Amino acid sequence: MIATANQHDPVKIGIVSISDRASTGVYEDKGLPALQSWLTAALQNPITFEARLIPDETAKISATLVELVDAGCALVLTTGGTGPALRDVTPEATLAVADKEMPGFGEQMRQISLKFVPTAILSRQVAVIRGNSLIINLPGQPKAIAETLEGLKDASGAQLVPGIFAAVPYCIDLIGGPYLETNDAVCKAFRPKSAIRVR
């Protein structure tokens, strides 16, 4: 269906929180609410969320990512399991289902996080394409999720370092997904002029 002047493409987004303890109820999961809140504020599109809370198990993570892609999620965001600990296997599980790796996303996330903590070099987030879907591993802490998606801004709100989400809508354009439109006050998407939809 072609969007009319006042209509935004609907989008289905998978959000996955990966944690042994949260998935068994040891503590409350904060990843899924953080992802849903940020995406709802950042996007003008009507969003259907497919949320999953799962343990740090490679096979389970990979199967969940495949399930969400097969369910039509144009974007899948994960949080948790990207450090060097023995149970941190999210990047491996993500790469196992990839058609293409998109290393720039992980590189930029680490650059942003290094502005705050030196231990950002221990993070191993990856991003991949599977079919017509973009899958991105995000940090585990809600504050770090927002920082990496939005980037760094000065006191006046001017962008100092672009967040990774600025590149997400155009990437999804290129792999045949819906046209994502952002709320510029949260995160301004970047597209070449030739790729901007005229309303």
Side-chain angles (χ1 to χ4, degrees), residues 75-90:
L75 175 65
V76 179
L77 299 179
T78 75
T79 176
T82 59
L86 294 179
R87 292 287 293 173
D88 289 337
V89 295
T90 302

Side-chain angles (χ1 to χ4, degrees), residues 123-146:
S123 66
R124 303 184 304 113
Q125 293 102 321
V126 301
V128 305
I129 291 168
R130 179 181 175 86
N132 299 109
S133 302
L134 174 62
I135 303 170
I136 305 174
N137 301 156
L138 295 172
Q141 297 300 319
K143 181 174 181 289
I145 290 170

Side-chain angles (χ1 to χ4, degrees), residues 22 25 31 34 39 41-42 73 89 121-122 127 134 136 139 148 152 163 168 172 192:
L39 289 162
C73 293
V89 295
I121 59 174
L122 302 179
L134 174 62
I136 305 174
T148 52
L152 307 180
V168 167
I172 290 177

Side-chain angles (χ1 to χ4, degrees), residues 89-108:
V89 295
T90 302
E92 288 74 21
T94 303
L95 291 168
V97 301
D99 294 328
K100 296 177 182 176
E101 187 176 358
M102 302 295 289
F105 286 100
E107 292 164 4
Q108 183 67 1

Side-chain angles (χ1 to χ4, degrees), residues 5-82:
N6 297 315
Q7 189 176 25
H8 302 291
D9 290 359
V11 59
K12 184 182 285 191
I13 298 178
I15 52 175
V16 186
S17 186
I18 299 159
S19 167
D20 285 333
R21 289 178 291 176
S23 66
T24 54
V26 174
Y27 63 71
E28 181 184 0
D29 172 66
K30 295 182 179 177
L32 293 175
L35 287 170
Q36 186 163 337
S37 175
W38 192 90
L39 289 162
T40 300
L43 287 172
Q44 298 183 48
N45 304 67
I47 307 170
T48 301
F49 288 101
E50 289 284 344
R52 304 287 187 274
L53 176 58
I54 60 175
D56 294 279
E57 296 172 4
T58 305
K60 178 65 175 175
I61 298 167
S62 291
T64 299
L65 297 178
V66 170
E67 173 198 342
L68 292 171
V69 169
D70 289 351
C73 293
L75 175 65
V76 179
L77 299 179
T78 75
T79 176
T82 59

